[in-house]
């Protein structure tokens, strides 16, 4: 019985940690202005997050690039409508970027 307990506890902790990351990114998405212009799988004003994840899949430095776009704004990448800078910290921008890029 003890042999099974440690692997089960370890697996539970890993699953909880993974769920926490997704929840943290999703919670930030819902609490910031992101939701006004973006949805996960449908283009609104800005691209769907699945499209963003697809565009940057496998690209080195994608998290930092997308985090910079989130924090500082960007224009001309997804069409003529610019994305304004967002009121997020560097850490929040990184969490959001990782969450967005996980939708591939």
């Amino acid at each position: 019985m003890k042999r099974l307990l440690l692997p089960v506890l370890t697996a539970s902790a890993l699953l909880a940690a993974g769920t926490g990351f997704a929840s943290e990114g999703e919670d930030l998405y819902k609490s910031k202005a992101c939701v006004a212009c973006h949805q996960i799988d449908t283009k609104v004003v800005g691209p769907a997050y699945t499209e963003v994840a697809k565009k940057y899949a496998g690209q080195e430095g994608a998290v930092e690039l997308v985090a910079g776009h989130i924090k500082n704004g960007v224009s001309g990448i997804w069409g003529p409508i610019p994305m304004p800078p967002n009121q997020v910290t560097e850490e929040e921008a990184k969490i959001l970027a990782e969450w967005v890029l996980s939708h591939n």
Side-chain angles (χ1 to χ4, degrees):
M1 181 71 165
K2 286 184 181 182
R3 286 184 182 179
L4 292 175
L5 187 58
L6 184 58
V8 168
L9 290 175
T10 302
S12 297
L14 289 172
L15 286 173
T19 303
F21 166 73
S23 294
E24 188 175 13
E26 186 172 5
D27 289 346
L28 275 173
Y29 159 70
K30 289 177 180 177
S31 72
K32 302 294 181 180
C34 314
V35 73
C37 297
H38 298 278
Q39 288 188 9
I40 293 171
D41 57 3
T42 305
K43 178 182 177 6
V44 185
V45 174
Y49 289 149
T50 53
E51 289 300 311
V52 175
K54 189 163 122 179
K55 178 180 181 99
Y56 296 107
Q59 194 174 103
E60 191 172 325
V63 170
E64 292 77 16
L65 179 67
V66 173
H69 293 174
I70 292 168
K71 179 142 180 67
N72 304 313
V74 67
S75 64
I77 296 176
W78 295 97
I81 300 173
M83 183 172 89
N86 288 279
Q87 297 297 316
V88 295
T89 65
E90 296 286 334
E91 182 180 342
E92 289 173 331
K94 184 177 179 190
I95 291 167
L96 283 164
E98 288 172 342
W99 181 75
V100 168
L101 294 171
S102 74
H103 288 91
N104 53 5

